[in-house]
Amino acid sequence: MKNSNSPGKGLVPPAMHGGNVYAAALANGRPMPKFIDFSASINPLGLPPSVRRALGNAIPFSVHYPDPYGDDLRKQIGQSFRIDPESIVLGNGSAELISFLPRALSIRHGLVIGPTFMEFERALALSGAQSTYLHARAEDRYAPPLEQVQSMLKKKKRIGRAGTNERPSSRPPIDAVFLCNPNSPTGRAVSRTGIRQLLQTVQQVKAYLIVDEAFVDFCQSCSVLKDVAKSLNLIVIRSFTKFFAMPGLRIGYVVGPRDLVTRIRCLLPPWSVNSLAQAAALAALQDLGYRRRSVALIRRERVRFMSRLKGLPGVRLFPSHANFLLLELPPNHSAARIAEWCREQGVLVRDCQDFSGMNRRSLRLAVHRGKENDQLVKLLMHALTVCE
Ligand SMILES: Cc1ncc(COP(=O)(O)O)c(C=O)c1O
């Protein structure tokens, strides 16, 4: 008999993500704007004023279909990062592009360096590909296990699913590695040199290296965007969501070899990126002042927030190169309970237990401005006493 909870063959249930202020408002009977959201890692400076103006100016153009391939925006991205516009494909958020990548690249078995964004595993499953996780460990302060990844690739042998009796020969060899850099939810980043070393091995075994740079604007020195032009095996995913505070507009892009970009385009629905999102992204890229202010704010506030959080009894914090911090609660606490209690007080934090490879005591906290961060530290101090 069919299990009523199972969605059916070839379907994969949606993953839970941070930032669901709608569900929180419904659950708590509190209007949405009353929540302070630390669960989605969005730039606390908010939408750049230049983007607000561009959105206003673009409204009249909503009577037309959007430019199907976003030529102006791709040209601007090309100019901003000195890359070929023909190597860029836009999507309705980078999540849309991630969902098509395994099919576009004909991936059969992806190695996902975890714990990380769940949509890589989901995209692999949706396209009928297999996935294997290799997790960074809390003992290593979540430094991605790149040497292990490389030796796994070099072995080139077929591997069985960890923790099962599956015969090693039943899985195809790994043909793609997914690395999120800086990684969410851990915050750790791999240096450009580290990625280049990994890419060499990936190239030797004729696989793809897919680097998700959704948070890289906060750590530009680790971006490998420019390396795409030199390799047929490197694909970079970028998003406007986090850095330019526009999660509701939905726009991201993939940079890769031209033929792969064409293949992704063949899978996308028509007009997948609306004209308001295109106009917003175009203005955002040109706003260098916003970029400077954002990087400076996060750099400064991350250090201060971290030192305040360290004052919470028994908590452990991990190094971060992004606009969020990963915190591990003391052994007698659960992240789910603390997150629920905070939500009742109108504050959302990300309980990380549903990330494969994370424990049940981990919380991800977006870095906001000083006053809100201090408010959260106070709230967590209180939560640690009432939620035992
Ligand atoms: C690491 C990472 N990549 C990609 C995405 C998707 O972002 P978007 O679809 O808004 O571009 C997210 C969203 O949470 C993320 O955390």
Side-chain angles (χ1 to χ4, degrees):
M1 207 172 72
K2 199 168 166 247
N3 176 351
S4 59
N5 290 326
S6 130
K9 197 170 180 303
L11 299 179
V12 183
M16 300 277 279
H17 295 291
N20 195 342
V21 282
Y22 309 95
L26 203 65
N28 284 68
R30 189 190 287 258
M32 203 180 81
K34 290 267 155 89
F35 282 94
I36 307 179
D37 185 13
F38 288 86
S39 73
S41 306
I42 304 301
N43 186 338
L45 285 186
L47 208 55
S50 58
V51 169
R52 278 178 198 272
R53 280 192 299 277
L55 284 169
N57 294 338
I59 287 175
F61 294 96
S62 306
V63 298
H64 300 290
Y65 278 103
D67 176 350
Y69 302 121
D71 286 345
D72 283 350
L73 178 56
R74 286 187 305 110
K75 242 182 247 160
Q76 183 61 52
I77 297 171
Q79 231 175 57
S80 299
F81 300 109
R82 298 212 203 101
I83 54 173
D84 174 11
E86 293 308 314
S87 67
I88 302 166
V89 54
L90 306 178
N92 193 265
S94 59
E96 179 181 63
L97 297 162
I98 291 169
S99 75
F100 287 118
L101 265 180
R103 258 180 82 193
L105 303 180
S106 307
I107 296 171
R108 295 173 65 214
H109 186 176
L111 175 63
V112 182
I113 305 176
T116 192
F117 189 48
M118 287 174 272
E119 295 299 328
F120 308 133
E121 181 190 10
R122 195 159 167 272
L124 287 163
L126 275 171
S127 70
Q130 315 240 7
S131 58
T132 296
Y133 269 114
L134 200 53
H135 287 309
R137 302 174 324 156
E139 301 90 278
D140 301 325
R141 308 211 304 163
Y142 289 112
L146 294 194
E147 282 181 17
Q148 246 179 298
V149 173
Q150 281 167 282
S151 57
M152 206 157 160
L153 288 170
K154 278 181 190 155
K155 275 185 206 152
K156 254 188 155 179
K157 65 172 192 193
R158 292 164 179 250
I159 51 170
R161 196 197 304 266
T164 71
N165 292 329
E166 206 174 71
R167 278 187 307 114
S169 59
S170 62
R171 315 196 95 200
I174 288 158
D175 47 12
V177 176
F178 288 81
L179 170 73
C180 183
N181 198 45
N183 185 41
S184 172
T186 63
R188 280 302 290 256
V190 176
S191 70
R192 198 176 271 159
T193 314
I195 301 183
R196 285 177 179 161
Q197 277 163 5
L198 174 61
L199 181 61
Q200 272 184 8
T201 311
V202 165
Q203 278 166 321
Q204 279 161 21
V205 300
K206 299 191 169 44
Y208 292 112
L209 176 60
I210 298 161
V211 184
D212 182 341
E213 296 193 339
F215 291 99
V216 89
D217 298 272
F218 297 105
C219 172
Q220 287 165 48
S221 62
C222 61
S223 171
V224 287
L225 191 64
K226 287 204 177 73
D227 292 23
V228 170
K230 296 179 246 159
S231 171
L232 293 176
N233 305 65
L234 178 64
I235 288 121
V236 172
I237 304 164
R238 286 275 185 120
S239 173
F240 285 90
T241 290
K242 321 288 181 178
F243 192 78
F244 295 107
M246 47 172 92
L249 284 169
R250 315 301 308 125
I251 182 156
Y253 56 99
V254 156
V255 184
R258 279 181 180 208
D259 64 323
L260 296 184
V261 158
T262 306
R263 268 154 47 194
I264 297 173
R265 226 172 250 156
C266 292
L267 291 168
L268 287 170
W271 311 293
S272 117
V273 184
N274 70 76
S275 45
L276 292 179
Q278 290 188 31
L282 196 61
L285 276 178
Q286 292 165 301
D287 196 336
L288 301 181
Y290 179 88
R291 180 174 285 281
R292 264 195 306 276
R293 286 196 301 281
S294 304
V295 170
L297 169 72
I298 295 300
R299 209 168 270 168
R300 197 175 58 237
E301 195 49 36
R302 188 172 55 208
V303 174
R304 207 190 64 87
F305 192 22
M306 169 96 86
S307 72
R308 296 289 322 272
L309 287 164
K310 277 185 179 156
L312 298 173
V315 306
R316 187 174 175 196
L317 282 141
F318 295 91
S320 171
H321 292 87
N323 61 333
F324 55 83
L325 295 172
L326 182 70
L327 174 152
E328 194 174 296
L329 296 162
N332 51 337
H333 284 281
S334 103
R337 176 78 193 96
I338 297 267
E340 189 193 344
W341 187 83
C342 287
R343 193 192 68 205
E344 285 160 8
Q345 320 308 312
V347 174
L348 303 182
V349 295
R350 179 71 161 100
D351 162 17
C352 292
Q353 67 173 321
D354 52 340
F355 285 93
S356 171
M358 286 309 300
N359 60 43
R360 46 176 285 284
R361 290 185 283 122
S362 298
L363 289 175
R364 190 189 65 200
L365 313 172
V367 177
H368 279 226
R369 292 184 197 241
K371 197 168 148 220
E372 287 189 342
N373 293 334
D374 289 350
Q375 243 177 294
L376 179 62
V377 175
K378 256 195 208 148
L379 193 73
L380 287 174
M381 183 69 96
H382 196 51
L384 287 173
T385 58
V386 296
C387 296
E388 266 193 287

